[in-house]
Structure formats: structure tokens, C-alpha cells
Amino acid sequence: MTEKFLPDENRLKAAEENYKRVLESIKESAVKAGRNEQDVRLMCVTKTVEPVYINKVLELGADLIGENRVQEYLGKRDALNLSGVERHLIGHLQTNKVRQIVGEVDMIESVSSLKLAKEISKVSSARGIETKCLVEVNIGKEESKSGVYAEALAETLYEMAGLKGLKVEGLMTIPPVCENEKEARRYFAEMRQYFIDIKDKKIDNINMNILSMGMSGDYEAAVAEGSNIVRVGSAIFGARKYF
Ligand SMILES: *Cc1c(COP(=O)(O)O)cnc(C)c1O
């Protein structure tokens, strides 16, 4: 990632066109669902993407990026034009990496357990800051994924509500890989219901403002079911090359 390379002009152009197209299609999906287009934010997911391509979409007005790995983000960020840009961590976070990331991003979306929340709380309060978080829900109960099961969500949130230095702002999910849009929509609809149910509980110190769901293959369905952050990577930057 640190080696020098010449940006691929075609890829730069593709990123620009894709970014605009995705924005347009989010708007269309929002309007179709009777929602205000302003209520859905596009997160550009930048894992494995070289800074030059990320800067291209930032230049076009992208104001939210998501990175998966702590190390990769910290290695790249100095090359990014991040002024006015919100940064979220969206990848699996190990407790031993919490110290490195707290204070470096605006939100951790991948809070997948109470144990992790406690560590974020400990590190944040020691530094006198508050870290905004989303609780990751394992909506398909997949062993391969992290996240709290829906059945345990309320109980987990009541515990998190008592943690200093941590502010829950909503929920995030990655549903199972689906055969079709209808199937994906069912998971998103389920998430929306949990989001509403939790919001109705009005738990002290827990906000339910953000419902982060939908990726390149299914963001339209997610918008139709109430998502307000869609996390889009490959539909903007192209297929990922892992290093
Ligand atoms: C990689 C990733 C995305 C984006 O995936 P695409 O299919 O490339 O849009 C979104 N959310 C999370 C948590 C991811 O890891």
C-alpha cells in the first residue's frame, strides 16, 4: 500500500461515474419509498482502495468513509483529504486494537459484543472522550459473522447504557448473502422493526438515530426498508484487490 504507483485514469473516471450513479440511485430508491432523500447517507467504503481514488470521491463531495481495518486506516489517512469528512470503523474490531482506534474515527459501527463495548468505554473514559458507536446485529445468526443476536439486543443495550465514554447511536447489520432482493429485504425489514422497538423503549443514554444497512448489492432494498446509512464499496471503486 505504501509503494508508489500511478493512478489508473480509467479507474479514477469510473469511480467518479459510479459515485454519481450510486448517489442518484439512492435518491430514486428513497423517493420511491416515500422517504426524504436527505435522510439517507452514502458511506464510501474504502477498504483496500488506494488514497488517490478515495480522494477523488471526497473531491466530489463524499463526506463519510468507512474503513475495516485499524492498521490499514491509520496507514492511509495522512494521504486522504479528510477535512469535513466523517470516518467510521465498520470492520471487526478486536479488543486489543481498541486503544489504537479510539479517538481516531468519528464512530465505531462494529460494536459486536458487550465485551468490546466495555473496552471502548474503558479506553474512552480514560482519555476523557466519548466514542459514538453502533451495535452490530447478527441478523442471520451466522457463525461466520460477529454481532449481537436480535433476541439479546435489548438486554445488551441496557448494559451498554451504563457504560461511560460510549454513546450508542443506533444499529448496524450485514445480512446473509441472499439469492435475491426479496430475501435481502426481509432481513432489512426485520432490522427496521428491531430498530423501532428499541427506539420505543426509550432507554436512557441510548440513541436510536442510525440504522446502517445495505451494501453494493442490496442498498436499494435497504433504503426501501428504512436504512439511513448505506455502506457502498465495490459499486463505487470496483472489485477489491486484497494485498
Ligand atoms: C466491505 C464492506 C462493505 C461494502 O461492501 P461492498 O459490497 O463492496 O459494497 C460494507 N460494510 C461492511 C461492514 C464491509 O465490510
Side-chain angles (χ1 to χ4, degrees):
M1 186 122 291
T2 49
E3 61 192 79
K4 275 212 175 132
F5 75 108
L6 286 173
D8 174 340
E9 288 301 328
N10 289 329
R11 221 183 135 195
L12 275 176
K13 198 150 175 279
E16 171 164 1
E17 286 168 4
N18 291 340
Y19 171 74
K20 290 179 179 166
R21 192 171 32 85
V22 169
L23 264 187
E24 203 49 47
S25 131
I26 290 169
K27 275 189 201 168
E28 276 171 27
S29 308
V31 170
K32 210 167 128 193
R35 302 182 56 196
N36 185 341
E37 60 183 62
Q38 320 275 18
D39 292 346
V40 188
R41 288 184 82 186
L42 169 59
M43 169 195 287
C44 298
V45 174
T46 54
K47 63 177 178 251
T48 77
V49 179
E50 294 92 345
V52 65
Y53 304 110
I54 304 172
N55 284 333
K56 183 76 211 176
V57 299
L58 297 179
E59 197 182 289
L60 296 168
D63 61 357
L64 174 59
I65 63 165
E67 275 281 347
N68 282 63
R69 299 214 190 99
V70 172
Q71 233 55 50
E72 184 184 336
Y73 171 66
L74 297 178
K76 269 192 333 199
R77 62 158 179 205
D78 289 346
L80 300 175
N81 304 325
L82 287 173
S83 146
V85 175
E86 217 181 298
R87 306 137 308 156
H88 292 189
L89 185 79
I90 59 172
H92 181 64
L93 177 61
Q94 291 166 296
T95 44
N96 64 7
K97 295 270 171 67
V98 167
R99 291 186 171 277
Q100 294 172 56
I101 199 67
V102 159
E104 300 292 343
V105 288
D106 301 290
M107 187 178 287
I108 300 176
E109 293 202 6
S110 39
V111 179
S112 51
S113 67
L114 183 59
K115 180 179 167 226
L116 179 60
K118 282 181 174 164
E119 183 65 16
I120 295 170
S121 159
K122 196 176 92 185
V123 173
S124 304
S125 12
R127 295 182 189 172
I129 59 173
E130 194 170 68
T131 301
K132 290 183 184 168
C133 294
L134 301 183
V135 175
E136 182 171 354
V137 180
N138 189 345
I139 192 71
K141 296 199 176 71
E142 295 171 283
E143 267 182 42
S144 61
K145 290 201 174 106
S146 353
V148 178
Y149 283 6
E151 290 77 2
L153 188 56
E155 188 192 323
T156 306
L157 284 165
Y158 278 110
E159 297 273 351
M160 288 183 186
L163 299 176
K164 284 202 199 81
L166 180 126
K167 188 80 194 177
V168 175
E169 296 289 347
L171 306 177
M172 181 272 238
T173 199
I174 312 169
V177 174
C178 289
E179 293 276 315
N180 52 51
E181 172 149 344
K182 206 171 142 211
E183 204 186 318
R185 233 181 121 149
R186 218 189 53 219
Y187 286 112
F188 293 140
E190 246 183 85
M191 276 300 296
R192 187 237 286 266
Q193 196 53 54
Y194 289 122
F195 181 72
I196 293 170
D197 290 348
I198 298 283
K199 196 185 252 199
D200 285 347
K201 290 187 196 295
K202 296 191 173 27
I203 305 173
D204 265 356
N205 197 36
I206 298 285
N207 289 334
M208 276 294 131
N209 298 323
I210 300 180
L211 180 56
S212 171
M213 57 186 194
M215 319 202 305
S216 290
D218 54 19
Y219 65 86
E220 287 107 336
V223 170
E225 293 298 341
S227 167
N228 53 26
I229 293 184
V230 293
R231 310 178 309 266
V232 180
S234 46
I236 296 173
F237 298 110
R240 274 182 291 277
K241 283 179 267 163
Y242 285 90
F243 298 88

